[in-house]
Amino acid sequence: AACQPPPGVDPGAVWLQVCLVVQTTDATRLQGVAEHAERLPNLDIRLIHNPRDDDRRGENINMGVRAATGRYVGFLDDDDVLE
C-alpha cells in the first residue's frame, strides 16, 4: 500500500521523516533497503547504516534519534507495520 499524507497536506509535499537504521554487514541487503527508500519520494528518508552483526537495538535507537530533526519520535522494529 502506498504511504498517503494526512488530510489537508499537499500530496506532493514531503510530510514525514523516516530515520531508518539498517544494522547489517550484508551490502546487498543495505542496497536493497536504499533502493526501496528511493521509491518513496514524499518521505524524507534518512538511511543510517550500523555495520554490526550482533544485537545492538539500543545503539540503533540512539543513532536514529541523533539523525531525527522532527518534533516527535516513534519507533518501529523490523516486524512492525505502520498503518
Side-chain angles (χ1 to χ4, degrees):
C3 195
Q4 300 296 320
V9 174
D10 177 5
V14 173
W15 59 274
L16 180 67
Q17 179 184 73
V18 177
C19 298
L20 182 59
V21 180
V22 181
Q23 180 183 331
T24 186
T25 57
D26 182 344
T28 303
R29 177 174 283 173
L30 182 62
Q31 182 62 34
V33 171
E35 289 172 2
H36 188 71
E38 289 173 2
R39 291 183 284 202
L40 300 168
N42 289 28
L43 302 179
D44 173 11
I45 298 180
R46 295 165 186 239
L47 189 61
I48 302 111
H49 180 214
N50 186 354
R52 305 288 296 254
D53 276 332
D54 52 338
D55 183 15
R56 296 289 179 148
R57 186 171 191 277
E59 184 176 304
N60 294 336
I61 289 171
N62 290 335
M63 291 172 80
V65 168
R66 282 192 298 272
T69 62
R71 182 181 218 174
Y72 302 103
V73 176
F75 301 95
L76 298 175
D77 291 319
D78 58 354
D79 60 348
D80 293 332
V81 175
L82 177 64
E83 296 183 32

